[in-house]
């Protein structure tokens, strides 16, 4: 909302910004109301002067998963990220990198856990509509960003926040790898930060 307000009120331009999304549900076309492409376009991009050609996301309807992952890996190698915005899953996942995803992972297709499917069901009319797979940027690529900003809210994230910040660095808690990043900022509300 602040970006949109700055653009409308102060004329802040985003014409030279490039946006690279973390993930996309497999099987959802970019015009599906629950796709991340649709969400970004409707809630942010269409309110700014960012060029559509400067926003990048995995193709959820790609027929060949390996080719799509290779395409996105090549794109990421050519687009260094200045800042990476992350959410935190209640099981410690970042992007759709579920627990036990190798820290060296690049773009891949993941089978979403029941925990993640339940977390995302609130965005769909029925839990059965939640896709079971997604394309996601890998942990290695997330860690390549110059700065990372991770957001967590709600008591249900308290364990994940504690493990990410004070737990041991382990692939069992993907967000714990952020302890190794030289420039990572966590913003958490009282509920999410309650176990720190």
């Amino acid at each position: 909302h602040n970006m949109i307000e700055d653009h409308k009120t102060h004329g802040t331009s985003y014409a030279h910004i490039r946006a690279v999304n973390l993930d996309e549900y497999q099987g959802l076309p970019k015009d599906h109301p629950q796709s991340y492409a649709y969400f970004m376009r409707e809630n942010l991009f269409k309110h700014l002067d960012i060029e559509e050609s400067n926003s990048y996301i995995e193709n959820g309807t790609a027929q060949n998963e390996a080719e799509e992952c290779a395409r996105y890996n090549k794109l990421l190698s050519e687009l260094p990220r200045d800042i990476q915005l992350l959410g935190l899953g209640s099981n410690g996942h970042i992007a759709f990198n579920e627990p036990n995803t190798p820290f060296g992972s690049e773009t891949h297709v993941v089978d979403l856990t029941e925990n993640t499917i339940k977390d995302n069901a609130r965005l769909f009319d029925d839990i059965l509509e939640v896709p079971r797979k997604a394309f996601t940027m890998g942990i290695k690529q997330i860690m390549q960003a110059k700065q990372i900003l991770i957001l967590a809210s709600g008591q249900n994230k308290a364990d994940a926040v504690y493990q990410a910040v004070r737990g041991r660095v382990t692939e069992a808690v993907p967000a714990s790898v952020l302890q190794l990043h030289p420039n990572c900022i966590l913003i958490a509300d009282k509920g999410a930060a309650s176990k720190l």
Side-chain angles (χ1 to χ4, degrees), residues 8 13 20 27 32 36 60 66 83 100 112 116 128 132 148 184:
K8 289 180 178 175
S13 176
V20 183
H32 189 287
Y36 287 107
I83 186 164
N100 300 312
L112 302 180
T116 298
L128 296 177
R132 272 31 191 183
I148 295 175
C184 181

Side-chain angles (χ1 to χ4, degrees), residues 22-153:
L22 287 164
D23 39 39
E24 180 60 282
Y25 287 117
Q26 187 199 48
L28 295 191
K30 64 182 181 180
D31 59 350
H32 189 287
Q34 299 307 330
S35 72
Y36 287 107
Y38 182 94
F39 180 89
M40 294 300 293
R41 185 172 62 252
E42 293 301 308
N43 292 284
L44 184 61
F45 297 151
K46 82 175 192 179
H47 304 284
L48 303 175
D49 60 343
I50 188 169
E51 297 290 331
E52 187 172 341
S53 61
N54 280 346
S55 65
Y56 305 91
I57 190 166
E58 299 95 332
N59 177 6
T61 59
Q63 295 300 305
N64 186 312
E65 293 177 358
E67 284 182 6
E68 178 58 12
C69 291
R71 180 192 73 84
Y72 214 63
N73 285 336
K74 182 176 186 296
L75 175 79
L76 293 171
S77 72
E78 297 167 353
L79 289 175
R81 277 82 60 212
D82 292 314
I83 186 164
Q84 180 68 67
L85 180 64
L86 297 175
L88 177 65
S90 59
N91 63 359
H93 76 243
I94 48 177
F96 276 132
N97 293 292
E98 299 284 9
N100 300 312
T101 299
F103 287 157
S105 63
E106 295 188 328
T107 307
H108 59 284
V109 175
V110 61
D111 293 314
L112 302 180
T113 65
E114 285 304 312
N115 179 283
T116 298
I117 290 168
K118 287 177 185 173
D119 282 353
N120 290 351
R122 62 188 168 78
L123 304 170
F124 291 80
D125 292 331
D126 189 295
I127 195 169
L128 296 177
E129 295 178 10
V130 183
R132 272 31 191 183
K133 296 173 82 173
F135 289 94
T136 188
M137 187 186 296
I139 294 174
K140 175 182 175 181
Q141 293 153 328
I142 289 170
M143 292 292 284
Q144 290 170 348
K146 293 177 186 175
Q147 181 173 39
I148 295 175
L149 182 63
I150 183 164
L151 311 175
S153 63

